[in-house]
Amino acid sequence: MHRIALLLAFIGTVALIATPERIRAQDAATSQPSTKPAGDVIDVTEFARLKEMIGTEVTIRGKVVEVFVPRSASVWIFNFDGIDRRAFNVVVPKESLQAVNAGFDGDVAAAVKDQTITVTGTVSEYRGNPQIQLTNPEQLRIEEAAEAESEEKPAEKKPAA
């Protein structure tokens, strides 16, 4: 009987500690990067600045000129206009591709090709160069698509009764 009382007291304490506000705060601390720009938006051509930002969450902006997939198909690599293709990349790891594709009508590569995009994420280093891993579609914004959505749509005509 005493053990049951202790167990109920413990469960009550846990319930008080695990309030929805605390759970949301913990989730926010461990969640994926947001689409809200992290400080200034950095152009991908600012290689030196990106290299200094390794380990920091940033938002980058650039025009995608190619999506490269190596034979291993282990990653999808976005290459940008105005910068050497190995100097900075956004990479989609194979294990994240399905989720990222789902956010872009099943084909993120077609969606971003020749488009100016912004990506928010933590800059990491790969073979001495900065990169950002894209693991969920919320990290990526295609500028042209966002502008098209903000335009006013004409009122729909209703059929005559």
Side-chain angles (χ1 to χ4, degrees):
M1 199 67 152
H2 182 64
R3 288 183 182 173
I4 293 173
L6 285 174
L7 180 60
L8 289 174
F10 175 75
I11 292 171
T13 303
V14 169
L16 287 174
I17 292 171
T19 62
E21 293 79 21
R22 288 179 191 254
I23 292 170
R24 279 192 290 276
Q26 288 173 343
D27 287 348
T30 60
S31 68
Q32 296 293 329
S34 69
T35 56
K36 182 179 178 186
D40 293 336
V41 177
I42 302 172
D43 193 277
V44 296
T45 59
E46 296 182 55
F47 173 75
R49 186 170 176 202
L50 286 168
K51 198 160 178 135
E52 291 172 2
M53 302 300 286
I54 291 174
T56 306
E57 184 174 290
V58 301
T59 299
I60 60 91
R61 179 179 186 272
K63 182 177 179 182
V64 178
V65 293
E66 174 189 34
V67 178
F68 174 75
V69 181
R71 279 188 236 189
S72 67
S74 59
V75 295
W76 275 244
I77 303 168
F78 298 1
N79 294 313
F80 293 90
D81 188 31
I83 189 167
D84 180 70
R85 62 181 282 193
R86 288 188 175 85
F88 173 80
N89 301 109
V90 169
V91 297
V92 182
K94 184 177 184 176
E95 60 271 10
S96 302
L97 185 63
Q98 185 175 1
V100 173
N101 273 339
F104 296 93
D105 295 327
D107 192 354
V108 70
V112 301
K113 177 79 166 88
D114 296 322
Q115 301 295 317
T116 299
I117 65 170
T118 58
V119 175
T120 300
T122 301
V123 179
S124 60
E125 186 174 348
Y126 179 74
R127 295 187 178 178
N129 292 321
Q131 70 174 14
I132 293 179
Q133 284 200 13
L134 179 60
T135 57
N136 67 67
E138 292 79 23
Q139 290 176 262
L140 171 63
R141 188 175 137 250
I142 300 172
E143 289 192 357
E144 288 75 7
E147 292 169 5
E149 289 175 10
S150 67
E151 293 177 7
E152 286 187 31
K153 296 179 182 177
E156 290 184 36
K157 292 184 179 180
K158 294 184 180 179

